[in-house]
Amino acid sequence: MYQQQVIEHIGAHILYDNLVDSSSEPCRLCLRPVPLCKIILKIAKGRMGNVAINMKLSSCPNLIKFSIANAAACYKTSPCTNHPLKCPYCPKLNPVVWSYNFRHHLLRFHPSIGLGEHKSLWTPLKLEKDGMKRIWQQWHKQSKPHLRAQCPALIISETQRTHIVLR
């Protein structure tokens, strides 16, 4: 359940946060732009042979296992459908594209491809739009703990401060 909440929270940022640049194709697990994170898919073991994330070849600071089939389904209690998918126009070994980013991916890497035939991949249904809007609004209504009050101040040496500035 925790995995889906992470996915929904980041999905709400991608859809409704004005500070997130959607054209940078943000990772749905950490919001870093492409190509800083890469998610590689594999065929899972077992009878079903479902698609799964290759945890060894993928890289993201927030990489978690989750069911891609569940992530792609829209339910009233879990509306986000932002899921990894293979771009049919990219080489087979390329990392996946998140469904919410697929429109920007096509515009950036495959401008000659018509957007209309793939619109269903990035256009949320009304149930999803309403659910994700509710998640975004509820998150903003919650009182947030003040981190400064909970944690002691960090002591940073003058050398470290200079290093940070020069980066």
Side-chain angles (χ1 to χ4, degrees):
M1 183 61 177
Y2 166 75
Q3 293 90 342
Q4 193 61 27
Q5 289 172 334
V6 170
I7 290 164
E8 288 172 353
H9 178 82
I10 298 294
H13 275 284
I14 292 170
L15 292 175
Y16 298 108
D17 190 343
N18 294 331
L19 299 176
V20 174
D21 178 13
S22 296
S23 67
S24 70
E25 299 182 48
C27 173
R28 92 172 237 200
L29 299 174
C30 70
L31 287 177
R32 294 187 327 163
V34 159
L36 296 178
C37 294
K38 70 175 185 177
I39 305 298
I40 307 294
L41 299 180
K42 67 176 184 174
I43 302 298
K45 295 178 182 175
R47 288 185 298 147
M48 302 302 277
N50 293 331
V51 177
I53 293 175
N54 186 327
M55 299 298 281
K56 290 180 183 175
L57 296 180
S58 298
S59 63
C60 173
N62 295 340
L63 188 62
I64 54 174
K65 281 187 176 183
F66 61 91
S67 166
I68 294 172
N70 287 346
C74 181
Y75 302 103
K76 189 171 184 175
T77 57
S78 181
C80 185
T81 64
N82 193 16
H83 63 284
L85 55 95
K86 285 297 294 171
C87 173
Y89 308 106
C90 285
K92 194 173 187 172
L93 298 177
N94 273 26
V96 300
V97 178
W98 297 105
S99 58
Y100 283 5
N101 298 336
F102 195 58
R103 178 179 181 275
H104 293 288
H105 174 80
L106 289 176
L107 289 170
R108 180 191 239 170
F109 295 104
H110 313 290
S112 63
I113 303 298
L115 297 176
E117 62 188 278
H118 300 291
K119 191 173 182 177
S120 64
L121 291 175
W122 71 78
T123 305
L125 300 172
K126 181 169 177 19
L127 175 66
E128 183 175 3
K129 277 186 202 174
D130 293 346
M132 294 302 290
K133 185 74 163 184
R134 186 183 69 252
I135 287 168
W136 180 249
Q137 290 170 342
Q138 285 175 349
W139 187 79
H140 278 81
K141 286 180 183 176
Q142 294 173 3
S143 62
K144 311 289 184 297
H146 294 284
L147 294 178
R148 289 184 189 192
Q150 293 177 355
C151 301
L154 294 176
I155 300 171
I156 301 175
S157 70
E158 191 60 39
T159 306
Q160 185 65 21
R161 285 184 192 174
T162 306
H163 176 72
I164 290 171
V165 170
L166 295 177
R167 248 196 282 174

